[in-house]
Amino acid sequence: QVQLVESGGGLVQPGGSLRLSCAASKFTLDNYAIGWFRQAPGKEREGVSCISNSDGSTYYAYSVKGRFTISRDNAKNTVYLQMNSLKPEDTAVYYCAAEPQRFMTVQAMCAYRSFLSWGQGTQVTVSS
């Protein structure tokens, strides 16, 4: 069974940075596309960034492009989301998700939330 554990969330001031980690157990991450999603109170869960396992291609939501960077360390079986220049509107619970990439681009997987395995989430709060 796929298990994912997020960490690295917390309280940060506007303009600050955080690095989220998504660690996998009981399976090898490099066989899966990985996505980072977030959900703010009263809003739908949205795709923030996704990364392919086949060609390393990435997708970023327009709202985070240029500020967030997704990366994977297969040796550590971990995917990261580096978040810089954080804004109050980035406040949300952040989830990572995994799914073998078959026929969809990572952009489509992010847009349609085409992931079956999800972590429990980590809270990110951006506030002064």
Side-chain angles (χ1 to χ4, degrees), residues 2 4 22 24 27-37 49-59 70-72 74 78-79 95-110 113-118:
V2 172
L4 299 166
C22 174
F27 73 104
T28 302
L29 264 182
D30 59 1
N31 294 327
Y32 291 76
I34 303 298
W36 280 101
F37 295 79
S49 181
C50 293
I51 185 167
S52 168
N53 63 296
S54 58
D55 60 7
S57 58
T58 57
Y59 163 81
I70 191 171
S71 62
R72 57 197 310 157
N74 291 335
T78 301
V79 173
Y95 301 87
C96 67
E99 183 68 18
Q101 184 179 5
R102 296 187 176 93
F103 308 113
M104 299 177 73
T105 65
V106 287
Q107 179 175 354
M109 294 180 75
C110 253
R113 299 195 293 270
S114 299
F115 292 83
L116 292 181
S117 301
W118 294 79

Side-chain angles (χ1 to χ4, degrees), residues 56-102:
S57 58
T58 57
Y59 163 81
Y60 295 94
Y62 179 81
S63 59
V64 307
K65 196 172 293 185
R67 300 188 297 123
F68 290 12
T69 303
I70 191 171
S71 62
R72 57 197 310 157
D73 186 336
N74 291 335
K76 295 184 178 180
N77 215 27
T78 301
V79 173
Y80 302 100
L81 185 69
Q82 178 67 42
M83 306 187 297
N84 299 328
S85 302
L86 283 162
K87 304 175 181 180
E89 50 264 43
D90 295 318
T91 296
V93 178
Y94 283 71
Y95 301 87
C96 67
E99 183 68 18
Q101 184 179 5
R102 296 187 176 93

Side-chain angles (χ1 to χ4, degrees), residues 112-128:
Y112 295 106
R113 299 195 293 270
S114 299
F115 292 83
L116 292 181
S117 301
W118 294 79
Q120 293 300 306
T122 184
Q123 176 71 46
V124 171
T125 303
V126 184
S127 175
S128 54

